């Protein structure tokens, strides 16, 4: 069952610069959830693997209609940077 995302990460300013996506898998999925998933995977030392089916739905915020793969990749990049600092 896909839930509606109510987390504040739907409004991350970094999501505004992502490309729009109106088609394909992940349409209406939360770009903030994808970003967080990528960040967590990188910070925890996991390989890249976006699990679209685990993302909540969202139609709100700066991540509205944004490319979830691009959001995941951005989160992964930020997670790697943070991991290197710690």
């Amino acid at each position: 069952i896909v839930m509606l995302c109510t987390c504040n990460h739907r409004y991350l300013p970094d999501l505004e610069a992502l490309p729009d996506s109106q088609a394909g898998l992940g349409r209406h999925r939360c770009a903030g959830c994808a970003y967080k998933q990528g960040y967590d995977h990188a910070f925890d030392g996991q390989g890249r693997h976006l699990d679209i089916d685990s993302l909540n739905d969202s139609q709100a915020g700066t991540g509205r209609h944004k490319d979830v793969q691009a959001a995941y990749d951005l989160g992964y990049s930020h997670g790697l940077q943070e991991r290197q600092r710690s």
Side-chain angles (χ1 to χ4, degrees), residues 14 35 39 42 73-83 85:
D14 290 342
Y35 174 92
Y39 183 96
D73 292 342
L74 181 63
Y76 199 92
S77 174
H78 289 169
L80 282 178
Q81 291 170 8
E82 191 62 32
R83 184 174 184 201
R85 283 186 224 146

Side-chain angles (χ1 to χ4, degrees), residues 27-46:
R27 181 174 186 217
H28 300 304
R29 295 297 176 115
C30 180
C33 287
Y35 174 92
K36 183 175 181 335
Q37 187 181 109
Y39 183 96
D40 290 347
H41 284 175
F43 192 80
D44 294 341
Q46 299 178 40

Side-chain angles (χ1 to χ4, degrees), residues 9-86:
H9 62 226
R10 295 177 298 154
Y11 300 97
L12 287 171
D14 290 342
L15 300 178
E16 291 180 38
L18 296 176
D20 289 335
S21 178
Q22 292 288 328
L25 294 171
R27 181 174 186 217
H28 300 304
R29 295 297 176 115
C30 180
C33 287
Y35 174 92
K36 183 175 181 335
Q37 187 181 109
Y39 183 96
D40 290 347
H41 284 175
F43 192 80
D44 294 341
Q46 299 178 40
R48 286 179 186 253
H49 173 69
L50 172 60
D51 181 5
I52 290 176
D53 292 334
S54 72
L55 301 177
N56 290 326
D57 277 345
S58 179
Q59 284 292 301
T62 55
R64 179 177 167 84
H65 292 158
K66 295 299 184 179
D67 184 322
V68 292
Q69 182 67 57
Y72 178 91
D73 292 342
L74 181 63
Y76 199 92
S77 174
H78 289 169
L80 282 178
Q81 291 170 8
E82 191 62 32
R83 184 174 184 201
Q84 291 172 351
R85 283 186 224 146
S86 51

